[in-house]
C-alpha cells in the first residue's frame, strides 16, 4: 500500500459521503424545512448513521496504512542493525 492508493481511497470515501448528501437533497428538495424537532433528530440520525460508516472505513484504512509504513521502517532498521553487528564482530 502506498500513499497514492491511500489518497485514492480517501477521495472515493469523500465522494461517497457527498453523493449521499446529494441523493438525500434530490429526494427531499420539494419539502419545506421542518420546525418539528423530531424531524431534525431523524435527519441527524440518518446523516450520522451513513457518514459514520464511511468515517470508520477511512479510519481502518489509515490504521492499516500506518501499520504498513511502520513495519517497513522497522524492517529497514533491523537490516541496518544486522549489518552493523556483522561489521562489529568481523573486527
Amino acid at each position: 500500500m502506498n500513499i497514492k492508493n491511500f489518497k485514492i481511497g480517501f477521495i472515493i470515501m469523500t465522494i461517497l459521503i457527498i453523493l449521499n448528501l446529494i441523493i438525500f437533497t434530490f429526494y427531499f428538495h420539494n419539502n419545506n424545512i421542518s420546525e418539528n424537532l423530531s424531524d431534525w433528530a431523524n435527519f441527524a440520525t440518518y446523516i450520522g448513521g451513513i457518514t459514520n460508516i464511511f468515517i470508520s472505513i477511512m479510519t481502518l484504512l489509515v490504521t492499516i496504512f500506518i501499520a504498513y509504513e511502520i513495519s517497513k521502517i522497522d524492517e529497514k532498521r533491523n537490516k541496518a542493525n544486522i549489518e552493523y553487528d556483522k561489521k562489529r564482530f568481523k573486527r
Side-chain angles (χ1 to χ4, degrees), residues 41-69:
N42 290 336
F43 175 71
T45 302
Y46 169 78
I47 296 297
I50 297 298
T51 55
N52 282 338
I53 292 169
F54 296 124
I55 291 170
S56 297
I57 292 171
M58 284 192 287
T59 303
L60 178 64
L61 291 175
V62 167
T63 303
I64 291 170
F65 177 75
I66 290 171
Y68 179 73
E69 292 296 318

Side-chain angles (χ1 to χ4, degrees), residues 35-90:
E35 293 182 13
N36 188 355
L37 187 59
S38 66
D39 290 340
W40 285 103
N42 290 336
F43 175 71
T45 302
Y46 169 78
I47 296 297
I50 297 298
T51 55
N52 282 338
I53 292 169
F54 296 124
I55 291 170
S56 297
I57 292 171
M58 284 192 287
T59 303
L60 178 64
L61 291 175
V62 167
T63 303
I64 291 170
F65 177 75
I66 290 171
Y68 179 73
E69 292 296 318
I70 288 173
S71 70
K72 285 191 335 187
I73 291 169
D74 196 40
E75 186 177 324
K76 287 179 186 178
R77 186 176 16 175
N78 285 340
K79 285 181 182 180
N81 285 339
I82 290 170
E83 290 300 319
Y84 174 76
D85 287 342
K86 284 180 181 178
K87 289 179 183 178
R88 191 175 76 176
F89 287 120
K90 281 186 179 180

Side-chain angles (χ1 to χ4, degrees), residues 15-29:
I15 290 171
L16 288 174
I17 290 171
I18 292 171
L19 184 63
N20 179 39
L21 293 174
I22 290 171
I23 291 171
F24 184 86
T25 304
F26 176 74
Y27 280 111
F28 297 107
H29 74 281

